[in-house]
Amino acid sequence: MRTGMTNTFLILFLAVQAAAQAPKADRPGFKDPVLFTRIANYYLSSSDSVVEKPFDGFAFPIVTAGKPGRQQVEGHYWIYKYSYDESAGPIPSPLQIIRNYEAAAAKIGGKVMGDAPHFATIMIKRDGKETWAHITPGYGGRQYMLRIIEKQEMQQEVVANAAAFQDGLQQNGHVEVPGIFFDFGKSDIKPESEPALAEVAKLLQGNPSLKVWVVGHTDNVGSAESNLSLSNARAESVVSALTKKLGIAPA
């Protein structure tokens, strides 16, 4: 009995060891992005190793005039999560991973917008497209994440409508107005906002007794104080456009 128990334990232990040393491989269908290959012996081995979003945004860390900041970029968004096959030998350092991508980007005209021992942000202008990449190694180089956004404008699908605004105000006392756009961190209304503003003007012109508050919104990048100031500035820009350009009474 004692001998049999020892053999069973030994067989199970060896099986676990063999499984732990199995080489990594990409999940079926997963492959590298168009602009970059990968560092040797890293694999897209998990079910969430590649995530694609037709439109999303990310605040890329950058350095401008020696000061750290963020640059919001929106467009076609991919996330790649690579993991190292430790059976291949020594693990590359996080700095080695970062420098590899910076060197690869430089060969195709890329520009480093910000870097540190734990990340790099790169911008590439090529074939009429602007692409941003962010590399973040983790777990001592055992993994790294590559975020890529091909910058583009969102295809507007939700259309502002004066009748819908009126229904929303009557039912809820407030309504969200889609289709009014600002650049990141700015309060200047973008030209493509004109159809939405025209619908707001149509609502107010058709209801002379209606009085409304205009409230601006921001993302959560930056301090609460700066975002409050920005939201107020955006609201004031909308009021100015409605009164000065579209003839709505300030009251």
Side-chain angles (χ1 to χ4, degrees):
M1 290 294 292
R2 186 178 295 274
T3 302
M5 289 176 64
T6 302
N7 288 342
T8 301
F9 176 79
L10 181 61
I11 291 170
L12 289 175
F13 177 76
L14 290 176
V16 171
Q17 285 291 91
Q21 294 175 0
K24 290 184 180 293
D26 286 347
R27 298 276 293 197
F30 285 179
K31 58 183 180 181
D32 296 326
V34 174
L35 286 177
F36 298 107
T37 59
R38 70 186 72 180
I39 298 175
N41 302 315
Y42 282 88
Y43 294 91
L44 300 165
S45 55
S46 301
S47 59
D48 64 344
S49 287
V50 178
V51 177
E52 180 179 3
K53 302 178 183 180
F55 187 88
D56 206 343
F58 181 71
F60 289 86
I62 63 172
V63 177
T64 304
K67 296 182 179 179
R70 293 269 178 173
Q71 176 66 52
Q72 179 76 8
V73 180
E74 298 177 348
H76 200 159
Y77 188 5
W78 293 267
I79 301 174
Y80 299 85
K81 300 175 183 177
Y82 291 96
S83 57
Y84 188 68
D85 183 357
E86 296 188 38
S87 67
I91 302 168
S93 70
L95 186 60
Q96 183 178 350
I97 296 170
I98 289 170
R99 293 291 184 256
N100 263 277
Y101 276 90
E102 291 177 343
K107 292 180 179 179
I108 55 174
K111 180 180 179 182
V112 176
M113 306 299 291
D115 77 343
H118 59 283
F119 82 87
T121 296
I122 298 166
M123 189 267 287
I124 301 167
K125 289 186 177 180
R126 188 182 188 192
D127 300 329
K129 297 178 181 179
E130 184 175 307
T131 303
W132 287 68
H134 185 245
I135 303 96
T136 49
Y139 300 101
R142 290 178 175 83
Q143 297 177 7
Y144 71 88
M145 180 183 296
L146 172 63
R147 300 176 189 266
I148 294 179
I149 293 185
E150 187 177 290
K151 188 176 180 180
Q152 59 188 229
E153 296 291 338
M154 182 184 69
Q155 298 299 312
Q156 181 66 25
E157 299 176 11
V158 179
V159 179
N161 180 277
F165 293 161
Q166 186 168 0
D167 289 343
L169 287 171
Q170 290 175 345
Q171 293 177 20
N172 305 311
H174 61 86
V175 65
E176 182 176 341
V177 182
I180 299 180
F181 302 105
F182 305 86
D183 283 327
F184 176 73
K186 296 182 179 179
S187 60
D188 298 325
I189 300 174
K190 301 185 74 171
E192 54 265 39
S193 307
E194 291 182 5
L197 290 169
E199 288 296 317
V200 175
K202 180 178 177 181
L203 166 71
L204 298 174
Q205 289 165 344
N207 300 270
S209 62
L210 185 64
K211 295 183 183 297
V212 298
W213 290 97
V214 178
V215 181
H217 284 263
T218 70
D219 55 29
N220 61 356
V221 178
S223 67
E225 292 77 10
S226 64
N227 282 328
L228 179 60
S229 176
L230 179 60
S231 66
N232 286 333
R234 287 178 171 176
E236 290 170 0
S237 292
V238 171
V239 171
S240 177
L242 290 171
T243 58
K244 296 179 181 179
K245 294 182 180 180
L246 298 173
I248 301 299

